[in-house]
């Protein structure tokens, strides 16, 4: 099954039975460092995760795999089958960032991983850790989890270059068949949004909200302009609500008409917002938003903007979730200009690991990691990105992780 890597002999596999993960005390977890600053942040995060796992009597058996430049050197391929097979076999993986060329070059490896493994939800929690810099007066009000659709929309990768045979044929076809005029010098992209993919994403977001006792799920879309893709996203979302969760949710309209604005006990509210309005609402009415479900492109934009409210890209964790499978990665990219300098903030990768622990059911260890990171920042120990904003004791990537480990040990 593997060409150039070998799974560790110790440790056990995570299984998936009856729709649930079965996690041993010593799971084998594949990981890769990826490109750029991945080499700095992934090893730092792994040290923290090992300490936190030990604190609850667990041990992770890491399985090193390859993607990006490093994989290209070893396999002549940026995303070898070995890596995809390891994730398929062991179900939960930790990744570092991967570089994607802009304009030409190869397709995004990140997008490919999500599509090939059908990791249909990009789940990004955005919460405030005391002490991190924020442009908001009340950053403590920020506590959202974004569920971004991960497999379709303009990210499906269906596009053709200006002047290519395909682009010209599509332009001709649209003119002849539908009387639609498109300039001949246009690049063409296709934006598919399906009922199937929308419904499974919204279902996952609602299930998460119910399990975690959240108050609301907001469907975010640009349906006033893109009626049959983004507008349909909203309509299909409400269909899932009616068909599958009728007894545990109320819509905003029902909330005001029947309940005087008070959420009935044990229920969650379903809202919908147009995307551009949502960008200002997360700034002005932050505490009204909780779990959000979004199509791919809006979700990408909004999650970076939301991350900026609570410390920026150096802090924000993320994950890609499918049925019985999860690949965990920070929101940030490979920031090549800082690669190998022991400079950048490993917090995003560390909190990504905390999110992975939550997914494994290791809630206590996850909370401890968050607490230890918060303590570290409050002690004024910071990497350059936070130092630029709040000053303090400037340290490198490794030293920051070591301080987090010390704080973990004190819990
Ligand atoms: P980026 O790598 O996220 O970096 C943008 C800026 O964010 C950095 O210059 C830095 O800001 C800040 N930053 C990012 N990570 C940080 C960290 N750990 N600590 C402190 N600051 C951090 O975005 P990009 O420059 O747009 O993209 C670079 C490459 O990464 C591209 O090839 C892109 O396609 C790829 N990418 C990959 C992923 C992924 O693997 N999932 C995600 C996004 C982008 P300052 O310079 O202002 O300090």
């Amino acid at each position: 099954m593997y060409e150039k890597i070998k799974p560790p002999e110790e440790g056990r596999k995570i299984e998936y039975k009856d729709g649930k993960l079965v996690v041993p005390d010593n799971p084998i977890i594949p990981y890769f460092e990826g490109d750029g600053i991945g080499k700095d942040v992934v090893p730092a995060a792994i040290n923290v995760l090992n300490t936190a796992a030990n604190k609850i009597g667990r041990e992770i058996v890491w399985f090193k795999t390859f993607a990006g430049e490093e994989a290209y050197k070893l396999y002549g391929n940026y995303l070898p089958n070995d890596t995809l097979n390891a994730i398929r076999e062991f179900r939960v993986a930790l990744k570092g960032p991967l570089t994607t060329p802009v304009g030409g070059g190869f397709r995004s490896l990140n997008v490919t991983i999500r599509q090939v493994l059908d990791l249909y939800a990009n789940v990004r929690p955005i919460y405030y850790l005391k002490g991190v810099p924020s442009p908001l007066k009340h950053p403590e009000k920020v506590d959202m989890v974004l569920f971004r659709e991960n497999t379709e929309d303009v990210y499906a990768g269906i596009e053709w270059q200006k002047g290519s045979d395909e682009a010209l044929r599509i332009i001709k076809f649209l003119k002849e068949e539908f009387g639609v005029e498109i300039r001949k010098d246009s690049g063409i992209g296709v934006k598919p949004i399906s009922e199937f993919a929308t419904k499974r994403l919204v279902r996952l977001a609602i299930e998460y909200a119910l399990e975690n006792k959240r108050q609301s799920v907001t469907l975010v879309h640009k349906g006033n302009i893109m009626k049959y893709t983004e507008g349909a996203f909203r309509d299909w979302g409400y269909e899932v609500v009616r068909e599958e969760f009728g007894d545990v949710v109320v819509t905003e309209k029902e909330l005001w008409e029947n309940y005087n604005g008070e959420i009935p006990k044990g229920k969650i509210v379903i809202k919908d917002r147009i995307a551009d309005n949502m960008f200002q609402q997360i700034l002005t009415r932050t505490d009204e938003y909780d779990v959000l479900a979004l199509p791919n492109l809006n979700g990408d934009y909004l999650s970076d903007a939301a991350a900026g409210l609570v410390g920026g890209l150096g802090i924000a964790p993320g994950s890609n979730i499918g049925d019985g499978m999860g690949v965990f990665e920070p929101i940030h990219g490979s920031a090549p200009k800082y690669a190998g300098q022991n400079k950048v903030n490993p917090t995003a990768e560390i909190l990504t690991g905390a999110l992975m622990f939550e997914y494994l059911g290791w809630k206590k260890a996850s909370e401890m990691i968050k607490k230890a990171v918060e303590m570290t920042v409050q002690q004024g120990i910071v990497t350059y990105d936070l130092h630029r904003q709040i000053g303090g004791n400037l340290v490198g990537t490794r030293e920051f992780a070591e301080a987090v480990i010390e704080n973990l040990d004190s819990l």
Side-chain angles (χ1 to χ4, degrees):
M1 184 170 174
Y2 296 102
E3 192 193 332
K4 288 183 194 265
I5 51 177
K6 199 164 157 269
E9 277 163 21
E10 281 118 48
R12 288 173 48 215
K13 253 190 229 183
I14 294 171
E15 307 280 353
Y16 186 56
K17 284 192 188 134
D18 304 325
K20 291 222 151 29
L21 287 185
V22 182
V23 181
D25 286 350
N26 56 348
I28 296 175
I29 299 200
Y31 76 100
F32 59 79
E33 292 176 353
D35 295 320
I37 55 169
K39 303 253 166 316
D40 302 84
V41 297
V42 174
I46 282 181
N47 288 339
V48 173
L49 298 181
N50 287 341
T51 308
N54 290 343
K55 286 200 77 102
I56 58 157
R58 310 287 204 283
E59 188 192 5
I60 298 170
V61 179
W62 297 101
F63 177 12
K64 184 169 170 62
T65 67
F66 300 87
E69 284 294 331
E70 202 183 20
Y72 192 79
K73 280 186 203 138
L74 193 65
Y75 291 85
N77 180 349
Y78 289 100
L79 185 59
N81 278 332
D82 271 2
T83 303
L84 293 170
N85 286 337
I87 301 171
R88 280 194 191 99
E89 185 177 3
F90 296 99
R91 297 191 167 277
V92 176
L94 181 72
K95 81 180 266 299
L98 294 167
T99 298
T100 309
V102 176
F106 57 83
R107 230 188 124 203
S108 164
L109 303 175
N110 300 304
V111 174
T112 307
I113 292 172
R114 294 165 192 166
Q115 285 177 350
V116 170
L117 299 173
D118 202 22
L119 302 167
Y120 59 84
N122 189 212
V123 184
R124 299 176 166 188
I126 310 276
Y127 51 83
Y128 177 63
L129 293 173
K130 259 189 227 145
V132 304
S134 167
L136 290 181
K137 278 197 182 136
H138 291 289
E140 71 284 356
K141 290 185 177 172
V142 180
D143 186 8
M144 295 182 281
V145 185
L146 276 65
F147 282 71
R148 162 190 169 201
E149 206 290 323
N150 226 359
T151 61
E152 44 182 39
D153 197 349
V154 282
Y155 282 60
I158 312 169
E159 54 172 17
W160 293 282
Q161 203 169 15
K162 173 199 109 174
S164 64
D165 183 39
E166 293 90 341
L168 292 172
R169 276 164 63 191
I170 287 172
I171 291 168
K172 186 163 174 269
F173 175 82
L174 290 175
K175 176 155 173 56
E176 287 174 3
E177 296 292 320
F178 303 118
V180 173
E181 289 283 352
I182 295 180
R183 290 189 188 97
K184 282 221 170 63
D185 60 349
S186 301
I188 299 285
V190 178
K191 177 185 176 78
I193 290 197
S194 71
E195 179 176 350
F196 171 77
T198 300
K199 285 190 166 174
R200 68 178 175 176
L201 176 87
V202 174
R203 187 177 297 121
L204 198 70
I206 297 177
E207 282 168 356
Y208 175 90
L210 288 168
E211 261 168 44
N212 291 280
K213 305 209 173 356
R214 294 283 183 154
Q215 294 208 319
S216 66
V217 175
T218 305
L219 307 169
V220 185
H221 59 90
K222 187 69 187 162
N224 52 334
I225 305 298
M226 293 167 272
K227 296 181 193 299
Y228 306 120
T229 49
E230 302 257 337
F233 179 90
R234 182 199 65 174
D235 296 344
W236 291 321
Y238 276 116
E239 264 177 44
V240 176
V241 169
R242 272 195 306 276
E243 289 162 3
E244 301 176 28
F245 299 97
D247 51 340
V248 281
V249 302
V250 290
T251 61
E252 236 177 349
K253 194 163 169 258
E254 289 164 349
L255 182 71
W256 291 102
E257 281 178 4
N258 306 341
Y259 301 98
N260 207 17
E262 291 282 316
I263 305 172
K265 218 171 170 242
K267 297 208 179 196
I268 54 168
V269 185
I270 307 295
K271 314 178 186 188
D272 69 278
R273 295 287 182 273
I274 290 178
D276 34 352
N277 175 31
M278 194 65 211
F279 271 86
Q280 61 115 9
Q281 297 254 324
I282 62 165
L283 298 171
T284 54
R285 302 173 71 165
T286 318
D287 51 351
E288 290 176 28
Y289 297 99
D290 198 343
V291 175
L292 309 183
L294 314 96
N296 208 336
L297 180 64
N298 283 329
D300 198 6
Y301 292 160
L302 195 78
S303 48
D304 272 31
L309 302 179
V310 285
L313 288 181
I315 307 276
S319 61
N320 301 287
I321 304 292
D323 292 327
M325 194 176 285
V327 174
F328 292 77
E329 61 173 343
I331 293 186
H332 68 67
S334 56
K337 63 182 173 186
Y338 299 127
Q341 295 177 22
N342 187 40
K343 173 171 176 148
V344 295
N345 195 342
T347 299
E349 191 78 45
I350 293 171
L351 294 178
T352 292
L355 188 60
M356 182 176 85
F357 279 8
E358 234 176 84
Y359 187 67
L360 298 178
W362 299 357
K363 268 219 153 95
K364 190 168 168 217
S366 172
E367 288 305 319
M368 285 165 96
I369 295 171
K370 287 185 210 165
K371 179 86 205 138
V373 169
E374 196 170 53
M375 284 165 74
T376 309
V377 177
Q378 284 185 306
Q379 289 154 358
I381 301 170
V382 288
T383 44
Y384 86 97
D385 51 326
L386 298 199
H387 187 263
R388 186 165 58 193
Q389 299 181 68
I390 54 173
N393 175 10
L394 176 64
V395 298
T397 312
R398 263 192 309 275
E399 293 70 27
F400 182 85
E402 279 160 15
V404 174
I405 290 173
E406 236 173 76
N407 281 320
L408 260 178
D409 280 332
S410 75
L411 289 175

